[in-house]
């Protein structure tokens, strides 16, 4: 069973993003060189010809010092100023189960939680007494994974069954989602539920969005008599389904188009529920639009009711009339004042909503939850170890588990538990053995210790009963940084010695909790702790490099506050690099005359964009500087002639020097004179080459770039990391991406698709490369190594995946012949 364990994936994403950025930029400075004429080391100059052998047409990459790459990696992973914020973790105890009573005649497929039962009580159309004669407005504000969908869907299905028995046709429930992706995902869940229960065989659901096709989202089975999700809008108009899923933009069209008016005419007597999922998204201008849209919906329903219809009376109290409003949101219920939620709901729905309409979550107390696990292992008399007392080798073993992705979740759980309890393990038991009293030994203290944790159920109970794990759960009931937890639970010394290792140790323990929650038998364990992990990754843009002989980086947009104390002593300029040879350095703009910088360097990037003739690329040149000094020491009277592009940037004077200051000068001794390579020649030549981003080192055209990577690229790396495992269950490969606009979404979808393919293709090519290989042999080896459909699919561009000539290549039924 291959699962996405959140804490492990966060570590994988951290590593993948850093590896991608450091290898993509591949920053390097030229290594120190010997004096000109030394046969052991080739001479390095600043122009392309110095890097070419006779007959070569492309510049050769110079040997590079890896210090800039290491500095960039350290910068990206800095705990406070790096590209990552977090990970953060929240551990949530299971929800309290229902007390046993139910308001529904239809039996749901699983026992409800207490908050779901509360929603049933408000939303059921079955009379429950004088206080409840029909559905009531309801706002479900429970957390992610709490079953908010089921909280309103189950009463709706129960109502549909009642209405069908009474011969009522038309739409009974209208469910609005903010995005088509959410609507499609929820449509699949509803279809599965309908198809799996014979009692729902005649319930019909429809999906009406701009992406709707005439294809089915469900599989017909003998149990549901061919029932599937309807997406054909012509069929939906002719015979409206019981439940209609759409979005607010499409609802606007449904209320406007003449051909859709028959939907409302057929549903005026039947429409009972209006559900707004992800209610928190309807704020601001969009909230106003939706509020007006709902009032138009009420007018449409009202227009199809005849005078004297009892349903008309409801419109005196609400613009929605007899339609019951329902809202769900995990965000609004996270510590918000119910008063604010109610005020917001009243504005959107336009009807009075009482305080009891807000349903919040109720969770099992920690001690009560832990007691059942203590009892499960009580007879084994296990001795838990304090997390802060773990030995270095045990921390290392857990850290290794915390930085890898494992498909064997039972083995992961076993290894974690073995390190959390006392007692070495004797010879392994047979696969069929279970952990019982007979499978223990007595140590010097007389306590019995498990010989081997072979029973997953015992492992799960031991993990959830461990005092340190319980302290972890208690400390993380509200979102908290993993680093803070590591420092608190593992001890300040352990955390200070190696923060990354401490973070990975907790990642392994959290992964074990996730494995228990996922269910070791493949069925989710509703009685286990849920693990939510959040990792923020910022866009890699506007990076400055410190003007120093030692590489260092900082964020340009944080310089004014975070680095204010350093700016006077160690200034920084926009970091750039050559994508051809990898040399790195700075971008500056010179004053209108001379070789000094202009006073304001805040707009260097804009100057480059506008092709300012005074923009200059400076590449760090420690190798050329060393060779220059060697030549000078060897008695060369004109060493500068060998290095026409070599200059020295004076940090104190903010100018480029044509002569190297003496070693005895204070600025030189302090390392505040930085050797750099610049473009040389006439003013017009320099301006032309600058505009064409010519590299001062290798001479490559269109090669100079500012250091950075857009968020779409980092998203592609993250998704490839998450889903690039062919052993991963297909059901785990789901991602929800929020964008600012439809146009941005269209761009992101195509970009991520293509970039993910590029990254996957690189991985496939690298996996087939073993030492120096001819290009044609390498291609053949890559194709031969693609033995599975997953591996073959990685070789085919996304826009050609469905092409009739390529599709047979990666389909499972196809042989490896090409």
């Amino acid at each position: 069973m291959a699962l996405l364990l959140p804490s492990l994936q966060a570590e994988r994403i951290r590593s993948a993003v850093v590896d991608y950025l450091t290898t993509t930029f591949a920053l390097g400075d030229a290594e120190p060189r010997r004096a000109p004429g030394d046969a052991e080391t080739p001479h390095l100059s600043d122009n392309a010809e110095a890097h070419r052998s006779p007959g070569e047409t492309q510049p050769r990459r110079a040997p590079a010092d890896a210090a800039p790459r290491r500095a960039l990696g350290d910068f990206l992973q800095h705990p406070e100023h790096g590209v990552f914020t977090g990970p953060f973790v929240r551990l949530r105890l299971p929800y309290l189960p229902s007390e046993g009573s139910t308001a529904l005649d239809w039996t749901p497929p699983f026992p409800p939680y207490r908050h779901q039962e509360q929603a049933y009580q408000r939303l059921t159309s079955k009379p429950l007494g004088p206080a409840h004669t029909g559905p009531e407005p309801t706002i479900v504000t429970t957390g992610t994974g709490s079953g908010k969908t089921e909280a309103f869907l189950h009463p709706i299905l129960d109502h549909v069954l009642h209405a069908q028995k009474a011969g009522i046709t038309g739409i009974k429930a209208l469910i609005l989602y903010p995005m088509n992706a959410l609507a499609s995902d929820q449509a699949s869940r509803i279809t599965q539920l309908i198809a799996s229960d014979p009692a729902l065989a005649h319930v019909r659901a429809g999906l009406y969005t701009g992406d709707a096709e005439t294809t089915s989202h469900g599989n017909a089975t003998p149990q549901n008599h061919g029932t599937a999700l309807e997406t054909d809008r012509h069929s939906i108009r002719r015979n409206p389904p019981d439940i209609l899923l759409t979005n607010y933009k499409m609802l606007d069209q449904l209320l406007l188009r003449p051909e859709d008016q028959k939907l409302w005419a057929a549903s005026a007597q039947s429409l009972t529920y209006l559900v707004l999922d992800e209610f928190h998204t309807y704020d601001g201008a969009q909230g106003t639009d939706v509020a007006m849209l709902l009032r138009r919906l009420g007018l449409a329903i009202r227009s199809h009711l005849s005078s004297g219809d009892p349903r008309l009376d409801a419109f005196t109290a609400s613009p929605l009339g007899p339609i019951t409003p329902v809202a769900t949101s995990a965000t609004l219920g996270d510590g918000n004042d119910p008063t604010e939620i109610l005020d917001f709901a009243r504005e959107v729905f336009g009807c009075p909503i009482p305080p009891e309409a807000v349903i919040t979550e109720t969770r099992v107390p920690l001690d009560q939850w832990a007691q059942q696990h203590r009892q499960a292992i009580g007879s084994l008399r296990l001795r838990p170890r304090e997390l802060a007392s773990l030995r270095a080798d045990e921390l290392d073993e857990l850290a290794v588990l915390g930085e890898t992705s494992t498909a064997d979740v039972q083995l992961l759980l076993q290894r974690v538990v073995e390190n959390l309890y006392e007692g070495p393990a004797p010879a392994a038991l047979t696969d069929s053995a279970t952990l019982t009293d007979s499978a223990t030994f007595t140590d010097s203290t007389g306590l019995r210790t498990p010989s081997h944790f072979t029973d997953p159920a015992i492992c799960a109970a031991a993990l959830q009963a461990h005092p340190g794990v319980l302290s972890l759960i208690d400390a993380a009931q509200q979102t908290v940084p993993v680093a803070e937890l590591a420092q608190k639970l593992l001890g300040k010394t352990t955390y200070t010695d190696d923060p990354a290792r401490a973070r990975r140790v907790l990642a392994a323990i959290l992964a074990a909790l996730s494995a228990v929650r996922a269910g070791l038998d493949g069925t989710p364990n509703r009685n286990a702790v849920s693990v939510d992990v959040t990792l923020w990754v910022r866009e890699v843009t506007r990076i400055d490099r410190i003007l120093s002989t030692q590489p260092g980086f900082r964020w340009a947009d944080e310089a004014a506050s975070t680095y204010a104390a350093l700016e006077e002593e160690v200034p920084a300029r926009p970091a750039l690099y050559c994508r051809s040879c990898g040399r790195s350095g700075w971008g500056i703009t010179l004053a209108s005359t001379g070789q000094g910088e202009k006073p304001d360097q805040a707009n260097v990037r804009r100057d480059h964009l506008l092709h300012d003739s005074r923009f200059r690329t400076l590449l760090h040149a420690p190798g050329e500087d060393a060779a220059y000094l060697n030549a000078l020491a060897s008695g060369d009277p004109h060493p500068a002639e060998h290095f026409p592009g070599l200059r020295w940037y004076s940090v104190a004077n903010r100018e480029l020097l044509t002569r190297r200051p003496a070693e005895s000068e204070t600025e030189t001794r302090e390392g505040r004179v930085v050797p750099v390579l610049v473009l040389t020649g006439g003013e017009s030549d320099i301006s032309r080459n600058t505009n064409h981003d010519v590299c001062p080192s290798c001479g490559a055209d269109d090669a100079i770039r500012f250091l950075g990577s857009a968020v779409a690229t980092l998203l592609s790396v993250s998704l490839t990391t998450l889903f690039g495992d062919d052993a991963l269950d297909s059901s785990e490969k789901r991602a929800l991406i929020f964008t600012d606009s439809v146009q941005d979404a269209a761009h992101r979808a195509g970009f991520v698709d293509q970039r993910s393919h590029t990254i996957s293709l690189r991985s496939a090519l690298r996996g087939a490369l073993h030492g120096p290989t001819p290009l044609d042999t390498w291609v053949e080896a890559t194709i031969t190594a693609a033995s599975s459909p997953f591996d073959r699919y990685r070789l085919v561009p996304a826009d050609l995946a469905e092409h009739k000539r390529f599709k047979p290549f990666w389909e499972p039924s196809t042989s490896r012949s090409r």
Side-chain angles (χ1 to χ4, degrees), residues 70 136 179 389 528 539 694 716 752:
R70 290 194 298 269
E136 301 173 277
M179 294 180 295
S389 67
E539 188 172 48
V694 174
S716 303
V752 170

Side-chain angles (χ1 to χ4, degrees), residues 465-479:
H466 190 279
V469 175
L470 294 177
S471 297
L472 172 64
I473 296 172
D474 185 50
Q477 291 193 51
Q478 297 298 325
T479 303

